Every structure is written in structure tokens, then in C-alpha cells.
Amino acid sequence: MQASGRVRALPPTVFSEFSALAARVGAVNLGQGFPDFDGPEVVREAAVAALRRGDNQYAHGLGAVPLRQAISEHARRFLDLTVDPDTEVVVTCGATEAIFDAVQGLVDAGDEVVAFQPVYDSYAASVAMAGGVLRPVTLQPPDASHPRWWFDAGELEAAFGSRTRVVLLNTPHNPTGKVFTVAELEQVAACCRGWNAVAVVDEVYGHLVYDGAEHRSLAGLPGMAERTLTVSSGAKTFGLTGWKVGWAMGPRVLRDAVLGAHQYVTFAVPTPLQHAVAAALRLPDTYFAGLQADYARRRGKLLAALNASGLVPWTPEGAYFACVDVGGRGFSDDDAFCRDLTTRVGVAAIPLSAFYVDRSRAPCVARFAFCKSDTTLDEAARRLRAANLGARR
Ligand SMILES: Cc1ncc(COP(=O)(O)O)c(C=O)c1O
């Protein structure tokens, strides 16, 4: 008895592996990207109220009506997108299911999917399960002539071709913290229009941008509304990663492609949590501004702790991760560095190489999450400082 070849070919997720290692050795876990503090009480109370009210049967497969309406209002309010709640939204079990469904719904065996690497691990698995071929475009770390993570426009253009069906984009980007600029989005849009490809854009960190960086939706660019699915979820915006309420929104024909898969993957998403996320999306502007300010503060704490330890992080413009070049420190690769940091120093980080389809292009970089309580960040800072990781050799 064994799993299918398709599933056996998928590597175990690096997050589970490092979280298990962190738990075993008692390390402070800055590896996995979930907050160790709770989401807003008013939103949790909305879930309790929905449970008590009896909103406990299957929701509509497209998503509960109040949530679809709230998603549409939120898209208008923050992204300047017009989305019909009746025909252009599907609620899914997290952004993860939305991406999986979009890929199953749009990609036939042998079709190509363009994605930027480092790439969130579920993208490669979704493409593999659809029998598609992932064409990675490599994001390069900042250097003397590039202040932020960047890509070569020629490499992007070369990744597209007649077999390209979908480009999977994530902005703000996990793990680099890159926020794609309008000029960069325009380059992606030009390729999509040129090759008649669909864009699936994962915007789960859309509310987490810093230092004046602006999150822009690809769907808002000229000619892109009709070929873009915008994906998001309540996980990061409301600090409720365990709820797994996400969605995809876009033109009806693309919505139908997602729905075609969704109806047989999960069919519907927990009803009371949908009602609570609807309430969350309608929170006043002060909530979203406060979230940004709070994460900017946590980011500052982690960056200071890393700098004080001798590690030199790049400053992320978005999301909730900071990356550090850990090359030249006597380790064979970033995986070896992260294992040593977890077991010897007692702070878990994730090796960036795990996010590469083509590992030969991976730099030696560790990713630290700052979606953590002050207690956790302070303890990590203490351990890192005590370890005195020093300068690169
Ligand atoms: C880029 C990206 N997309 C999607 C997800 C998962 O979102 P959800 O929990 O809504 O499935 C994550 C979680 O870490 C992520 O980093």
C-alpha cells in the first residue's frame, strides 16, 4: 500500500519540518508564518454569535452571501476593483484552496505556469497536481545597483510562450517581502496580454506594507480585469490563520473555472467563520491602519535583533518576514545554517532554498517571521545576541 506517484513526488513542507524541529529542541519559532497572538476579539465574537444564531449548515458553494458582499465592498474600498458578489467571487478554504482550484480549473496537462521564485510552496504542488509545468522567473536579492529584490525583464519575457496558460504572482511577496511596483506589474501584464495568459495574484499580505510602499492589484491595470483572478484570505489581515477563509475574485468565466474545482474539493467553507470574516472585512479604517503600524513596530524589533546579533537583514517592504544573507559563515548551505540556528542557538528560521523550483538559483538566505508577540521577539533577540553570530568570514 502506498500513496500515488503524484503525491509521493511532493516534498514534505519545510514549515512542518522546521516547526517540528523547533518544538523538539525548544527553539523560539520564527520559522512558520503564523501569529502567536490572537485576532481581534470583535471578530472572534462575531464567529461565536454566528454559531449561537444557528448559522451552522452548509453555506452556499459560492460562499455565504454576506461574505461575498463584504469581499466586494472591501475590494472597492482598498483595491479600487469592481467585483460583482453574485458572479465574480468564490469563497474557498483559505487562499491555498483558491490557488489550487484556480490551477486545477485553468491548467491542462503539459500547460505552462510562470511564477517568481522563491515561490510559496503550495504553488508548485498545485501545478504538479494539475500536470502542468512550472516556469520559474528568479527574483534576485538586493545588490549595489538594486535597492530591493528585482528580476530581469528578459528572463520574464523568455518564460512566457505559446504553452503559457497562467502566471502566478504573489505581492506583497513571501518570503522576500518584495512589493511589486506598478512598473513591474506592467511588465507582467504586458506578457499576459501578449500571450493571452491568465494572472492569478495572491494578495494575502495586501494590508501589510511599510515605509510608504503601495500595494497595487494587477487586476486594476489596463486590460487586466478581464484576465485576472485576485486571491486573498482573512488569515494574515486578521491574524486568524487557523480559520482558513479565503476567496478568489475575477470575471465570471475565471470564477467558473475556480468553482468547477471548488465544488468537488471542499464544496463549501465553514459557515460561522464566513459570517465573522464578513464582519472583519467591514472593520473601520482605523483597524487596518493600526495593523500596519503594529506590524511595522514588530518588523523594527526583529530587524534590530538581527542587526545586534551580527546578521544583516534586508528591510522588507511588505508581508511579515525578514531575510538575511547567511552565506560565507562556514555552512554548506542555508538549510545547514537554519538547522544549526534552531538546534544550537534556539531560534528557528526557514532556509530560502526550500522556496526554489530550480535550487541551483537559490542564494544562501534565511527567512525570519516577525508576526510574533513581543515576548517571543524579545526572547529570540536575547538568544541571537547571546550567540554573537558575528561577521561573515
Ligand atoms: C503567499 C501565501 N499565500 C497563501 C498563504 C496561505 O493562506 P491561507 O491560510 O489563506 O490558505 C500563505 C501563508 O503563509 C502565504 O504566505
Side-chain angles (χ1 to χ4, degrees):
M1 303 279 263
Q2 61 175 358
S4 69
R6 201 171 57 251
V7 165
R8 283 203 312 274
L10 303 174
T13 90
V14 66
F15 309 109
S16 322
E17 200 185 332
F18 270 87
S19 287
L21 179 63
R24 203 162 63 244
V25 302
V28 177
N29 191 353
L30 301 189
Q32 204 165 0
F34 61 83
D36 62 352
F37 47 88
D38 220 338
E41 188 176 354
V42 60
V43 177
R44 289 181 283 126
E45 285 304 326
V48 173
L51 284 165
R52 294 221 166 99
R53 212 165 45 229
D55 282 329
N56 296 312
Q57 305 307 328
Y58 289 131
H60 194 294
L62 285 174
V65 172
L67 177 56
R68 280 187 278 136
Q69 282 168 344
I71 289 167
S72 167
E73 286 165 22
H74 185 266
R76 152 78 50 223
R77 181 172 154 208
F78 289 104
L79 306 174
D80 204 19
L81 298 179
T82 305
V83 176
D84 182 336
D86 297 327
T87 59
E88 298 184 327
V89 180
V90 194
V91 175
T92 54
C93 190
T96 310
E97 197 219 339
I99 289 158
F100 183 83
D101 293 350
V103 172
Q104 306 313 306
L106 292 167
V107 173
D108 281 314
D111 284 351
E112 295 186 358
V113 176
V114 174
F116 290 90
Q117 65 174 0
V119 65
Y120 184 62
D121 62 351
S122 85
Y123 297 7
S126 296
V127 173
M129 287 202 257
V133 178
L134 194 71
R135 292 269 172 241
V137 176
T138 303
L139 291 175
Q140 312 279 355
D143 57 31
S145 36
H146 301 90
R148 48 181 67 88
W149 288 79
W150 60 284
F151 59 89
D152 182 73
E155 194 184 330
L156 175 70
E157 281 162 24
F160 279 78
S162 56
R163 301 296 313 256
T164 309
R165 191 77 174 100
V166 167
V167 57
L168 270 171
L169 179 73
N170 169 218
T171 184
H173 185 253
N174 171 15
T176 64
K178 177 180 176 61
V179 178
F180 283 72
T181 63
V182 173
E184 289 169 332
L185 292 176
E186 189 44 62
Q187 289 174 324
V188 175
C191 291
C192 290
R193 291 189 299 256
W195 291 102
N196 195 26
V198 172
V200 178
V201 191
D202 176 349
E203 302 188 359
V204 292
Y205 299 102
H207 280 286
L208 298 174
V209 288
Y210 315 105
D211 301 335
E214 194 194 353
H215 166 62
R216 288 285 297 271
S217 285
L218 187 71
L221 267 55
M224 291 308 290
E226 63 260 38
R227 57 174 70 253
T228 303
L229 277 167
T230 303
V231 169
S232 194
S233 82
K236 318 291 173 177
T237 310
F238 305 111
L240 295 163
T241 59
W243 282 19
K244 299 296 292 184
V245 177
W247 54 89
M249 50 192 185
R252 186 171 196 152
V253 60
L254 299 184
R255 192 276 320 249
D256 285 348
V258 177
L259 183 62
H262 170 71
Q263 64 185 336
Y264 293 116
V265 175
T266 55
F267 171 64
V269 173
T271 307
L273 300 184
Q274 291 197 51
H275 286 281
V277 172
L281 289 170
R282 292 189 170 120
L283 285 172
D285 289 354
T286 46
Y287 170 77
F288 298 94
L291 178 84
Q292 242 178 39
D294 184 49
Y295 273 91
R297 189 184 61 75
R298 292 179 205 280
R299 181 187 67 150
K301 233 176 199 296
L302 176 64
L303 294 179
L306 291 169
N307 277 308
S309 75
L311 297 172
V312 185
W314 292 299
T315 301
E317 306 160 275
Y320 50 47
F321 308 100
C323 289
V324 180
D325 180 349
V326 293
R329 292 174 176 273
F331 293 94
S332 54
D333 55 21
D334 53 2
D335 193 86
F337 174 87
C338 290
R339 276 174 208 283
D340 178 73
L341 194 75
T342 307
T343 51
R344 194 175 53 81
V345 178
V347 177
I350 299 282
L352 222 70
S353 54
F355 294 79
Y356 284 74
V357 181
D358 171 5
R359 288 208 176 196
S360 69
R361 302 289 305 270
C364 190
V365 169
R367 186 200 80 172
F368 296 81
F370 57 84
C371 48
K372 303 295 172 185
S373 66
D374 285 351
T375 315
T376 304
L377 291 172
D378 289 342
E379 179 57 18
R382 195 188 63 71
R383 292 182 185 198
L384 288 167
R385 214 173 19 251
N388 188 19
L389 295 159
R392 289 153 62 103
R393 281 183 243 137

